[in-house]
Amino acid sequence: MTTVIMHTSEGDIRLDLFDDKASQTVENFLGLASGSKEWKDPITGETRNDPFYNGLTFHRIIKDFMIQGGCPLGTGTGGPGYEFDDEIDPNLTFDAPYKLAMANAGTRRDPRSGEIHGTNGSQFFITSVPTPWLDGHHTIFGEVADEASKKVVDALNSVKTGRGDQPVEPVMIETVEVL
């Protein structure tokens, strides 16, 4: 099990990742976090290899539901320039708060091949309450590891938000440290 610390403007969130249950998703997250995975800048179109999450925001916070981050545009519409399929493990459920999962837009049909594929990329969320209606729809790939980190998630859950559930004052993901 890999552990990361997400250093945020509101405090540190220690996350245990489920390498054995969602290996592709964990590998993607770690690659983006460390800068070892190539991604495409949605603004410039340039290919990059620097740590993706550093300096992004939690762009969407819905009280008593979840906090969402990982959009390079800060709008919920951006990603790393690629998509990949879900890794749904029926033993991992949203039966408790503090689950780390991939945000997605469901599945889509490729217009060229006709094949259906997932829409995971870089965006993720951390639940603040049990959310069983999400079971089978989002890849759970980790969980908040300790009480101090849960308090940070709880604090983020309570920030003032405005239009589109966007925090009124930006909540930053400063860096993601892979331990």
Side-chain angles (χ1 to χ4, degrees):
M1 184 179 301
T2 303
T3 300
V4 300
I5 299 175
M6 188 173 290
H7 301 284
T8 78
S9 56
E10 303 301 313
D12 292 346
I13 303 171
R14 187 181 194 97
L15 299 160
D16 288 332
L17 306 183
F18 303 143
D19 307 63
D20 59 333
K21 304 273 188 190
S23 59
Q24 178 185 3
T25 305
V26 169
E27 182 180 315
N28 180 72
F29 183 81
L30 292 173
L32 289 172
S34 68
S36 65
K37 185 165 184 70
E38 195 172 84
W39 55 280
K40 187 175 181 179
D41 188 308
I43 297 170
T44 66
E46 293 176 3
T47 299
R48 297 175 55 177
N49 269 95
D50 52 314
F52 181 87
Y53 294 110
N54 294 2
L56 298 186
T57 62
F58 283 100
H59 62 274
R60 186 173 177 219
I61 297 177
I62 302 176
K63 185 169 178 53
D64 297 328
F65 178 34
M66 60 88 197
I67 61 174
Q68 184 173 339
C71 175
L73 300 174
T75 61
T77 61
Y82 59 83
E83 295 177 337
F84 63 96
D85 288 328
D86 290 326
E87 290 181 283
I88 305 296
D89 184 318
N91 297 312
L92 296 175
T93 63
F94 290 98
D95 62 338
Y98 310 113
K99 304 292 180 158
L100 172 65
M102 290 302 292
N104 64 45
T107 55
R108 292 194 178 135
R109 184 175 302 278
D110 185 299
R112 289 171 294 218
S113 69
E115 291 183 25
I116 295 175
H117 63 86
T119 55
N120 297 299
S122 58
Q123 293 190 44
F124 63 87
F125 62 92
I126 301 171
T127 60
S128 55
V129 296
T131 55
W133 62 90
L134 298 179
D135 288 347
H137 299 286
H138 296 272
T139 301
I140 298 171
F141 68 102
E143 65 187 354
V144 178
D146 56 39
E147 290 305 314
S149 298
K150 290 176 183 178
K151 287 181 180 177
V152 174
V153 172
D154 292 344
L156 291 172
N157 178 56
S158 296
V159 301
K160 185 176 180 182
T161 57
R163 187 175 182 193
D165 302 308
Q166 189 168 24
V168 173
E169 296 293 324
V171 179
M172 304 303 296
I173 300 169
E174 295 166 350
T175 60
V176 178
E177 176 186 0
V178 181
L179 301 182

